[in-house]
């Protein structure tokens, strides 16, 4: 594969205005590929291809669009190892994590969209009271898909799968930190036989292609996953054309551990925080513990974190890998030092590289205790393997502190009391609440509220985001 090419209108082509960028392996700190970053001409070409393809793809019967996604799923599975190797090199996922979770997420989401789509009513009567009123669910149009580096295939499949089934045409701009896996995915789209122009890929950065797509008059929708800061800029850029904007942004999840929590709750919370080197927007980064078990939980969390090993992404095993780049490493180190300076008690990990390492963007699995709600590490999204532990005395206090954040993506509850779980699930201000280690089911909507964004991804609710609702009166029920 020529990594400097873009996939536009069904073919791999040379950039119009490309400039080179090395893709850095965060384990070695060395380049392993060189891509081109596109300019306005490349963005315009991709959008024009998507616009040309839109009428035909919208008019394609849903069952044929579903069949195309079924072929995509087969092609994706055939490229599983190529995808895993790419993600391991570009963003630092250890091979086992890359194969199992990173690649696996794409299979899970594409399968979920296929299930949802087969039952979805793209056209349906309004109701028995209005026999000649029809509701048509119609594609939003040309969708710009801007995806992050931390879970590349998770986010690409959540957007592409929904858009394809809905009848939208697409321009994908993956993160310039993780572009290689996206190009492998584009090969799968090509092999699946999507019509030319339905799916297009242009590599670029946020300031360039990302901003151009957000403001482009021929783009009808932007679906973005990334930082809250970038989400605000995209919203402003999109405002002039009043395009639909879907945002999946940052988080600062609270994990409420009550005295009656199950014996695996603490270990589960620590390991969830450390997964993917802490680079997940839904990470349970604030462990809030009921006072009677606080000291025991702190000791257990420190012990669990001390056993988390750190190693090269190129190796198999259950270790965590590096964070994605020098900028992220520096940010995380600064926040760890800020935690120490502001008086949090360091009980595991700390600043600097792990013992025995002299290069690579590796971070020591770190746990702070005695964190207070006003501390920087309790308020800012760190996006690294850093856990903050806080104490609470009552359910009401826990709820107040958990909700005292500009974010609202995922919160967690650990208690044997079913009534308490249900109360908290209703009152926690977040798009998702996971309790007692039970994962959300396939098709359960992913997304947040407040500054964690808007819109939902996955299954039925993910399809809805890429569809307009058209109300028709005077429908002839005797005709097709």
């Amino acid at each position: 594969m020529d990594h400097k090419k873009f996939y536009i209108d069904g073919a791999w082509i040379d950039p119009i205005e490309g400039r080179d960028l090395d893709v850095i392996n965060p384990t070695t700190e060395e380049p392993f590929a060189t891509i081109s970053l596109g300019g306005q001409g490349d963005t315009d070409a991709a959008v024009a291809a998507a616009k040309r393809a839109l009428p035909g793809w919208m008019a394609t019967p849903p069952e044929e669009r579903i069949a195309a996604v079924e072929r995509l799923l087969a092609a994706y599975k055939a490229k599983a190892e190529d995808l895993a190797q790419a993600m391991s090199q570009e963003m630092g996922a250890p091979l086992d994590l890359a194969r199992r979770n990173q690649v696996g997420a794409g299979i899970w989401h594409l399968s979920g969209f296929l299930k949802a789509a087969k039952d979805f009513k793209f056209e349906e009567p309004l109701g028995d009271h209005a026999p000649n009123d029809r509701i048509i669910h119609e594609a939003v149009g040309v969708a710009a898909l801007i995806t992050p580096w931390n879970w590349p295939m998770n986010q690409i499949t959540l957007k592409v799968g929904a858009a394809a089934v809905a009848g939208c045409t697409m321009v994908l701009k993956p993160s310039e930190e993780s572009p290689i896996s996206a190009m492998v995915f584009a090969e799968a789209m090509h092999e699946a036989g999507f019509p030319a122009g339905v799916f297009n890929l242009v590599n670029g950065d946020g300031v360039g292609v990302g901003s151009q797509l957000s403001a482009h008059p021929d783009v009808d929708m932007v679906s973005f996953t990334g930082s809250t800061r970038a989400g605000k800029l995209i919203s402003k850029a999109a405002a002039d054309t009043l395009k639909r904007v879907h945002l999946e942004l940052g988080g600062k999840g609270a994990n409420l551990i009550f005295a009656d929590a199950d014996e695996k709750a603490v270990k589960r919370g620590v390991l969830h925080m450390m997964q993917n080197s802490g680079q997940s927007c839904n990470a349970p980064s604030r462990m809030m513990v009921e006072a009677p078990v606080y000291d025991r939980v702190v000791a257990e969390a420190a012990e669990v974190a001390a056993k988390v090993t750190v190693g090269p992404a190129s190796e198999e095993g259950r270790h965590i890998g590096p964070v994605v780049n020098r900028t992220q490493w520096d940010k995380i180190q600064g926040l760890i030092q800020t935690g120490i300076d502001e008086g949090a008690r360091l009980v595991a990990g700390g600043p600097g590289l792990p013992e025995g390492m002299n290069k690579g963007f590796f971070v020591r699995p770190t746990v702070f205790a005695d964190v207070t709600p006003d501390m920087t590490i309790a308020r800012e999204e760190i996006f690294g393997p850093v856990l903050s532990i806080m104490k609470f005395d009552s359910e009401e206090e826990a709820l107040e502190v958990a909700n005292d954040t500009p974010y609202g993506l995922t919160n967690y509850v650990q208690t044997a009391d079913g009534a308490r779980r249900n109360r908290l699930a209703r009152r926690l201000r977040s798009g998702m609440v996971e309790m007692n280690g039970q994962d959300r089911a396939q098709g359960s909507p992913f997304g947040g509220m407040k500054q964690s964004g808007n819109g939902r991804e996955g299954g039925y609710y993910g399809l809805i985001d890429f569809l307009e609702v058209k109300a028709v009166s005077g429908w002839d029920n005797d005709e097709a």
Side-chain angles (χ1 to χ4, degrees), residues 43-55 57-58 139-145 163 167-172 197-198 200 213 216-223 243-244 466 468:
T43 302
D44 289 345
V47 173
K51 185 178 180 180
R52 285 193 301 272
L54 180 62
W57 187 240
M58 285 179 65
V140 170
V142 175
L145 314 178
C168 293
T169 56
M170 298 155 262
V171 179
L172 170 65
V198 169
N200 307 274
L213 287 169
H216 204 290
D218 290 333
V219 169
D220 301 295
M221 172 182 179
V222 178
S223 180
K243 55 174 57 70
R244 182 179 295 190
F466 285 84
E468 296 281 13

Side-chain angles (χ1 to χ4, degrees), residues 332-361:
I332 295 163
Q333 296 300 313
L335 285 165
I336 291 173
Q337 188 59 52
T338 297
I340 295 170
D341 295 343
E342 292 184 357
R345 177 162 55 101
L346 185 67
V347 297
L353 288 168
E355 186 176 350
M357 292 183 169
N358 58 15
K359 70 174 181 178
F361 306 128

Side-chain angles (χ1 to χ4, degrees), residues 294 298 343-347 367-371 375 387-390:
Y294 179 79
V298 169
R345 177 162 55 101
L346 185 67
V347 297
V367 178
F368 284 102
D370 304 343
V371 176
M375 290 182 179
L387 175 66
S388 298
I389 306 182
M390 313 165 76

Side-chain angles (χ1 to χ4, degrees), residues 134-453:
R134 196 80 170 174
I135 300 299
I136 299 175
H137 295 277
E138 180 177 288
V140 170
V142 175
L145 314 178
I146 304 175
T147 56
W149 46 262
N150 59 321
W151 288 93
M153 286 302 109
N154 182 77
Q155 294 307 133
I156 287 175
T157 56
L158 276 171
K159 298 180 192 304
V160 171
V165 169
C168 293
T169 56
M170 298 155 262
V171 179
L172 170 65
K173 189 212 81 69
S175 169
E176 65 273 26
E177 302 286 349
S178 58
I180 308 305
S181 60
M183 298 179 82
V184 176
F185 180 86
E187 289 183 330
M189 290 290 292
H190 184 79
E191 291 173 13
F194 282 84
V198 169
F199 172 87
N200 307 274
L201 180 149
V202 178
N203 279 316
D205 55 19
V207 175
V209 175
S211 296
Q212 293 156 14
L213 287 169
S214 301
H216 204 290
D218 290 333
V219 169
D220 301 295
M221 172 182 179
V222 178
S223 180
F224 169 76
T225 300
S227 70
T228 297
R229 178 193 60 80
K232 293 175 181 178
L233 294 173
I234 286 170
S235 296
K236 292 175 183 178
D240 286 344
T241 50
L242 293 177
K243 55 174 57 70
R244 182 179 295 190
V245 178
H246 170 124
L247 301 171
E248 200 279 281
L249 308 175
K252 193 67 179 175
N255 185 10
L256 279 53
I257 298 183
F258 289 85
D260 64 347
D262 67 87
E263 61 182 11
K264 296 180 180 179
V266 178
K267 181 178 181 180
R268 185 168 63 236
V270 174
L271 294 181
H272 191 172
M273 180 63 239
M274 302 303 166
Q275 185 190 40
N276 204 38
S277 302
Q279 299 172 121
S280 299
C281 52
N282 62 341
S285 55
R286 294 181 293 158
M287 182 177 281
M288 299 174 56
V289 184
E290 194 171 16
V293 294
Y294 179 79
D295 291 340
R296 173 182 64 78
V297 168
V298 169
E300 184 180 349
E303 182 180 355
V304 172
K307 293 179 181 177
V308 175
T309 56
V310 183
S314 56
E315 295 181 1
E316 297 178 338
R318 299 188 68 84
H319 58 285
I320 65 172
V323 297
V324 70
N325 58 28
R326 172 64 64 184
T327 299
Q328 288 295 117
W329 191 88
D330 286 343
K331 174 194 170 186
I332 295 163
Q333 296 300 313
L335 285 165
I336 291 173
Q337 188 59 52
T338 297
I340 295 170
D341 295 343
E342 292 184 357
R345 177 162 55 101
L346 185 67
V347 297
L353 288 168
E355 186 176 350
M357 292 183 169
N358 58 15
K359 70 174 181 178
F361 306 128
F362 296 98
V363 178
R364 299 170 67 193
T366 296
V367 178
F368 284 102
D370 304 343
V371 176
T372 56
D374 59 308
M375 290 182 179
T376 303
I377 58 173
R379 305 203 67 80
E380 291 192 18
E381 185 179 34
I382 299 173
F383 229 60
V386 181
L387 175 66
S388 298
I389 306 182
M390 313 165 76
K391 184 191 296 186
F392 67 85
D393 291 309
S394 67
E395 179 181 321
E396 200 63 31
E397 179 191 2
L399 183 68
E400 181 180 351
V401 174
N403 284 339
D404 182 23
T405 171
Y407 297 109
L409 189 58
T410 314
N411 285 306
Y412 302 82
V413 177
Q414 320 297 328
T415 177
D417 186 334
R420 174 189 282 154
R421 290 200 304 273
N422 292 354
R423 282 196 306 273
L424 288 167
R426 291 188 176 97
R427 297 183 66 192
L428 285 164
R429 292 285 294 159
S430 56
M432 297 169 285
V433 181
E434 298 184 15
M435 301 190 285
N436 287 356
Q438 183 169 323
D439 293 332
R440 293 174 303 106
Q442 189 175 51
S444 177
F446 189 101
M449 55 181 68
K450 300 193 285 186
Q451 291 191 32
S452 288

